[in-house]
């Protein structure tokens, strides 16, 4: 006769009892043995899992997102003070460095990363099986993670397709985004390109061929579509044999970007104006530190940069040896991840400084040429240093002539150039290409940059697909009918087919919808439920004893305080912030490209787009309560059947 486990028993039952809630008691021991010692492919070495967890989280999104956050708060996520003092004869930056970012790393990122790695290593299963092992009512947590990872895979590989597209064009001389194309009559340049810029034109018109609104879907663009097929083919070949093939790839995808970043750092620091970008990066606006949004963004950045809640960390850890020191891995990965973010930002802002300085000096030279020709001044009379003074002199001495040319005089500002340099859609494909086109041997730097983006993107995609494939291969229903290669092929084929939506003329708008709404709220809810489940449903003391028996090491008080108190409260705060922000925002809007103006304009999402946004959020989050409700109903029905049978 089946034995049902109630909520009270769940809090004290062993893992095998939770799995065997609907099994006879005499099979519990066999089930426990299966959980802890079932044959499972392992990583070839400790290095492989470390490299995989480092490269697996959303590397490219993390670095791009951090640069955007730094721009928004003008360095507020970096040093809280930049006063300089003399220490042993040398200047040194003092004050608290990276205060919000570092605090969130230690109170949120590192503890939750350790939690997911420990759960995967302890339960020896993918996300679905691991949480179902902790409690049958939590099977929806793993399903929600798989759904989010599936959504992410659908659109994320499009970035790799764009990287392929730019990489293929990097070998042309001149670079195709460095100059505007001629119009049909060959009498001038394309009007759209002249109103925007050559890099924006290549991105919005040549790469995306973007429509004026999300309502105008247009047709599939065959060049990006072929690049997307190529990107999925690469992912399939890397995941063909599971960890056997993925483990070899991670060395390349994890280490090569660092080599390229070092090369770019050396090049970036030698560029004219690099210091302007670094000063901009490290100069905070102190008032921003009192802004709660700065701290919220720091917490969000840490959360997503480590890939929490996607299920990929649990999947990776499930293939490691039970005796591995997952605590050490969590600390190492957290520090490497955050250090890489800061390092990549230094490289990026040095190049942004070069780009902004180049544009600023070009603007100043145009103003000098205009005033020199308009007032018949000697060459060299006007310089960048005396320009503002001479503009005032000319305006007061020749007011009528100055008023005629005044509308043509541009307001040149290095600060505004730096602000513009780190904002807008397609950051990696517009701003960086703008800087690269002005470098010597630009083809080399372009090829290096987009090859690095590809390695980062492929590393992230291996994590995304592992979060989907591991639960599927763990499922006897699926694995008994299909081999690993077929499962990987089907997952890649389905994602590639759906991803064709993002290669349409309106595809970039749908890409933004998935990027903004498919993961943010669902992941926060998933990780909150994970933390509460381990600490209060499974039991923190019991989990601590499991880890001690597994690794031979006691759990430090720091992890217990973070798991049971501070981290859940922080996640609840993030959820409240995002929900209130969405409510206060009102109608959701998006940025559409206006070809006639050569710039982005703000438009309201149509009703069906809002419905898709709601469906994206609900399809993953509702898995958690629906699976719990189904489990409860099935147990009630089974209990009623058992009672009737006894009667």
């Amino acid at each position: 006769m089946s034995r049902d486990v109630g909520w009270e028993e769940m809090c004290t039952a062993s893992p095998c009892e939770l799995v065997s809630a609907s099994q006879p008691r005499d099979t519990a021991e066999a089930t426990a043995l299966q959980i802890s010692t079932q044959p499972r492919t392992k990583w070839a070495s400790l290095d492989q899992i470390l490299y995989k967890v480092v490269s697996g989280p959303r590397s490219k999104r993390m670095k791009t997102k951090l640069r955007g956050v730094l721009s928004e708060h003008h360095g507020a996520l970096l040093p809280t003070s930049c006063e300089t003092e003399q220490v042993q004869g040398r200047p040194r930056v003092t004050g608290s460095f990276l205060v919000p970012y570092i605090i969130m790393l230690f109170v949120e990122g590192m503890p939750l990363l350790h939690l997911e790695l420990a759960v995967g290593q302890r339960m020896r299963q993918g996300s679905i099986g691991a949480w179902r092992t902790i409690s049958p009512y939590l099977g929806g947590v793993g399903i929600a993670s798989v759904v989010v990872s599936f959504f992410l895979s659908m659109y994320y590989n499009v970035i790799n397709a764009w990287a392929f597209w730019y990489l293929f064009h990097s070998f042309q001389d001149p670079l195709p985004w460095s100059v505007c194309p001629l119009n049909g009559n060959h009498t001038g340049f394309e009007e759209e390109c002249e109103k925007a810029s050559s890099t924006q034109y290549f991105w919005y018109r040549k790469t995306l061929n973007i429509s004026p609104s999300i309502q105008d879907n247009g047709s599939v663009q065959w060049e990006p579509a072929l690049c997307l097929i190529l990107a999925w083919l690469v992912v399939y070949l890397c995941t063909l044999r599971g960890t056997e093939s993925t483990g070899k790839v991670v060395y390349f995808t994890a280490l090569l970007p660092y080599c390229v970043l070092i090369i770019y750092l050396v090049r970036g620091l030698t560029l004219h104006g690099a210091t302007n970008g670094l000063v901009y990066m490290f100069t905070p606006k102190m008032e921003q530190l009192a802004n709660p949004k700065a701290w919220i963004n720091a917490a969000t950045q840490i959360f997503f940069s480590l890939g929490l809640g996607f299920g990929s960390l649990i999947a990776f850890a499930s293939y490691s040896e039970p005796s591995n020191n997952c605590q050490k891995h969590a600390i190492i990965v957290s520090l490497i991840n955050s250090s890489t973010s800061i390092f990549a930002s230094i490289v990026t802002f040095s190049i942004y400084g070069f780009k902004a300085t180049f544009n600023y000096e070009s603007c100043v030279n145009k103003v000098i040429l205009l005033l020199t020709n308009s007032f018949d001044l000697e060459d060299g009379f006007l310089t960048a240093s005396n320009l503002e003074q001479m503009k005032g002199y000319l305006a007061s001495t020749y007011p009528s002539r100055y008023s005629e040319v005044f509308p043509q005089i541009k307001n040149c500002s290095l600060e505004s150039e730096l602000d513009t340099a780190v904002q807008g859609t397609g950051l990696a494909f517009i701003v960086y290409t703008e800087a690269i086109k002005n470098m010597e041997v630009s083809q080399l730097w372009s090829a290096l940059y987009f090859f690095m983006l590809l390695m980062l993107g492929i590393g992230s995609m291996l994590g995304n697909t592992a979060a989907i494939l591991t639960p599927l291969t763990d499922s006897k229903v699926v694995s008994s009918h299909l081999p690993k290669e077929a499962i990987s092929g089907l997952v890649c084929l389905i994602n590639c087919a759906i991803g064709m939506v993002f290669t349409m003329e309106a595809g970039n708008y749908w890409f933004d919808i998935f990027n903004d709404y498919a993961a943010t709220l669902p992941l926060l809810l998933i990780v909150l439920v994970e933390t509460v489940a381990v600490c209060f449903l499974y039991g923190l003391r019991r989990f601590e004893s499991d880890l001690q028996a597994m690794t031979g090491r006691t759990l430090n008080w720091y992890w217990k305080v973070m798991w049971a108190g501070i981290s859940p409260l922080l996640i609840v705060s993030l959820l409240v912030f995002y929900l209130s922000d969405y409510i206060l925002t009102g109608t959701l809007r998006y940025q559409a490209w206006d070809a006639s103006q050569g710039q982005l304009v703000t438009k309201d999402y149509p009703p069906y787009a809002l419905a898709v946004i709601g469906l994206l959020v609900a399809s993953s989050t509702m898995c958690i309560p629906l699976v719990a409700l189904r489990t409860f109903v099935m147990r009630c029905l089974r209990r009623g059947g058992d009672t009737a049978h006894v009667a």
Side-chain angles (χ1 to χ4, degrees):
M1 181 174 63
S2 298
R3 176 182 180 273
D4 193 61
V5 179
W7 282 101
E8 299 83 358
E9 294 172 276
M10 257 183 255
C11 297
T12 57
S14 65
C16 61
E17 290 176 314
L18 294 174
V19 172
S20 60
S22 60
Q23 299 175 2
R25 166 66 78 172
D26 56 2
T27 64
E29 185 176 351
T31 306
L33 183 64
Q34 183 183 11
I35 293 171
S36 58
T37 63
Q38 60 180 323
R40 189 171 185 82
T41 306
K42 296 183 177 68
W43 299 101
S45 66
L46 286 175
D47 292 341
Q48 280 191 1
I49 184 174
L50 191 59
Y51 286 133
K52 190 69 215 98
V53 176
V54 168
S55 67
R58 286 67 203 143
S59 312
K60 181 164 29 179
R61 178 177 176 177
M62 170 264 293
K63 294 171 183 63
T64 303
K65 195 164 188 164
L66 179 63
R67 293 193 289 267
V69 170
L70 288 174
S71 166
E72 179 180 352
H73 299 287
H74 199 266
L77 298 187
L78 288 163
T80 56
S81 63
C82 287
E83 62 270 21
T84 302
E85 64 179 11
Q86 293 293 327
V87 180
Q88 297 179 349
R90 294 183 302 174
R92 187 186 73 172
V93 177
T94 62
S96 302
F97 184 68
L98 297 165
V99 170
Y101 188 75
I102 294 298
I103 288 177
M104 294 305 171
L105 173 66
F106 284 97
V107 302
E108 176 198 34
M110 198 177 291
L112 296 178
L113 176 62
H114 183 201
L115 179 70
E116 291 205 352
L117 291 178
V119 167
Q121 188 170 310
R122 168 65 183 90
M123 303 307 170
R124 312 285 294 152
Q125 298 184 64
S127 56
I128 296 177
W131 295 111
R132 188 181 291 137
T133 300
I134 290 178
S135 170
Y137 289 90
L138 295 176
V141 178
I143 296 175
S145 294
V146 172
V147 171
V148 171
S149 294
F150 183 75
F151 286 155
L152 190 70
S153 296
M154 283 167 51
Y155 77 88
Y156 193 89
N157 218 19
V158 178
I159 300 176
N160 292 333
W162 294 334
F164 269 123
W165 169 256
Y166 271 81
L167 179 62
F168 295 152
H169 285 82
S170 296
F171 300 98
Q172 298 182 25
D173 186 21
L175 292 173
W177 54 82
S178 62
V179 292
C180 286
L182 296 174
N183 57 25
N185 298 326
H186 293 79
T187 56
F189 296 115
E190 286 282 354
E191 183 181 358
E192 181 183 358
C193 186
E194 284 190 312
K195 291 183 177 180
S197 67
S198 59
T199 51
Q200 286 180 312
Y201 180 82
F202 187 83
W203 169 247
Y204 287 111
R205 187 55 51 213
K206 293 298 184 180
T207 303
L208 303 178
N209 193 22
I210 197 167
S211 61
S213 70
I214 195 172
Q215 287 97 327
D216 303 320
N217 288 318
S219 59
V220 172
Q221 307 302 298
W222 69 269
E223 297 99 333
L226 289 177
C227 291
L228 181 61
I229 294 172
L230 176 60
W232 273 112
L233 181 61
V234 171
V235 172
Y236 173 66
L237 294 176
C238 292
T239 59
L240 184 62
R241 300 292 299 171
T243 56
E244 298 172 18
S245 55
T246 304
K248 297 178 177 64
V249 176
V250 295
Y251 290 110
F252 196 64
T253 59
L255 294 178
L256 183 99
Y258 288 99
C259 298
V260 177
L261 280 176
I262 292 172
I263 295 172
Y264 255 102
L265 177 65
V266 175
R267 178 61 180 136
L269 294 178
T270 59
L271 291 171
H272 174 60
T275 54
N276 292 328
L278 295 178
V279 169
Y280 177 86
M281 173 183 173
F282 286 99
T283 304
K285 287 183 177 178
M286 300 304 296
E287 64 272 14
Q288 286 292 346
L289 293 172
N291 183 0
K293 194 170 183 180
W295 294 79
I296 293 293
N297 283 338
T300 306
Q301 165 59 27
I302 288 292
F303 189 93
F304 291 110
S305 70
L306 294 173
L308 301 171
F310 288 95
S312 54
L313 296 172
I314 295 177
F316 294 147
S318 70
Y319 294 106
S320 63
E321 291 285 352
S323 59
N324 281 351
N325 189 350
C326 54
Q327 173 180 305
K328 178 182 176 182
H329 287 167
I331 296 173
I332 292 174
V333 169
S334 299
L335 295 179
I336 290 177
N337 205 339
S338 297
S339 300
T340 302
S341 297
I342 299 167
F343 176 51
S345 295
I346 292 173
V347 176
T348 300
F349 274 91
S350 66
I351 295 176
Y352 284 166
F354 160 71
K355 178 217 179 257
T357 303
F358 182 89
N359 290 345
Y360 167 70
E361 292 179 350
S362 297
C363 177
V364 170
N365 290 333
K366 289 179 181 178
V367 173
I368 290 175
L369 181 62
L370 174 66
L371 294 178
T372 299
N373 293 335
S374 300
F375 293 91
D376 296 325
L377 303 175
E378 294 182 5
D379 291 340
F381 180 75
L382 289 178
T383 63
S385 58
N386 68 4
L387 179 60
E388 293 301 322
Q389 180 182 355
M390 292 305 301
K391 283 167 64 176
Y393 170 77
L394 293 173
S396 59
T397 307
Y398 309 101
S400 58
R401 291 175 62 184
Y402 190 84
S403 61
E404 293 177 3
V405 299
F406 180 76
Q408 304 175 51
I409 299 176
K410 294 183 179 180
N411 184 20
C412 304
S413 169
L414 180 60
E415 183 75 13
S416 63
E417 289 291 342
L418 287 166
D419 287 336
T420 305
V422 286
Q423 295 174 357
T425 308
L427 173 68
F429 300 98
I430 297 177
V431 177
Y432 231 98
T433 54
E434 181 74 26
I436 288 173
K437 76 176 187 179
N438 296 318
M439 295 182 185
E440 296 180 3
V441 199
S442 55
Q443 289 78 14
L444 172 63
W445 298 110
S446 179
L448 272 177
Y449 174 67
F450 289 110
F451 188 65
M452 179 187 68
L453 280 189
L454 267 178
M455 293 303 100
L456 290 170
I458 290 171
S460 297
M461 280 305 302
L462 295 183
N464 299 342
T465 51
I468 302 170
L469 294 174
T470 301
L472 293 177
T473 53
D474 283 345
S475 172
K476 293 182 179 179
V477 176
V478 178
S479 59
S480 61
H481 293 86
L482 295 171
K484 282 183 182 178
E485 295 83 356
I487 297 174
S488 299
L490 282 174
V491 169
C492 293
L493 181 62
I494 293 171
N495 276 287
C496 183
I498 299 175
M500 288 297 166
V501 172
F502 305 112
T503 65
M504 300 175 68
E505 293 177 24
N508 192 57
Y509 303 131
W510 290 108
F511 177 90
D512 288 338
I513 285 178
F514 273 73
N515 191 43
D516 292 338
Y517 301 104
T520 305
L521 288 175
L523 288 179
L524 290 174
L525 181 61
I526 288 169
V527 177
L528 177 62
V529 174
E530 288 179 354
T531 310
V532 172
V534 169
C535 295
F536 303 106
L537 183 56
Y538 187 81
L540 184 56
R541 290 184 179 178
R542 190 151 54 111
F543 191 62
E544 178 185 4
S545 64
D546 287 349
L547 292 183
Q548 185 172 358
M550 184 173 61
T551 64
R553 299 172 181 85
T554 57
L555 193 65
N556 191 281
W557 63 268
Y558 160 75
W559 305 108
K560 292 184 280 188
V561 170
M562 293 298 115
W563 289 347
I566 296 179
S567 294
L569 289 176
L570 184 59
I571 297 173
V572 170
S573 300
L574 287 173
L575 278 169
V576 171
F577 169 79
Y578 277 111
L579 289 173
S580 61
D581 189 51
Y582 287 145
I583 293 172
L584 294 175
T585 300
T587 304
L588 299 179
R589 297 183 173 185
Y590 69 102
Q591 297 287 308
W593 179 253
D594 189 336
S596 61
Q597 301 182 51
Q599 64 182 22
L600 294 168
V601 295
T602 302
K603 294 185 177 182
D604 293 337
Y605 275 120
Y608 66 86
L610 296 175
V612 171
I613 292 173
L615 185 62
L616 284 175
V617 176
S619 58
S620 54
T621 56
M622 291 306 294
C623 291
I624 300 174
L626 288 178
V627 170
L629 179 62
R630 177 186 176 277
T631 303
F632 178 75
V633 171
M634 294 299 294
R635 292 196 167 208
C636 289
L637 294 175
R638 191 180 301 117
R639 182 183 301 168
D642 291 345
T643 303
H645 179 70
V646 172

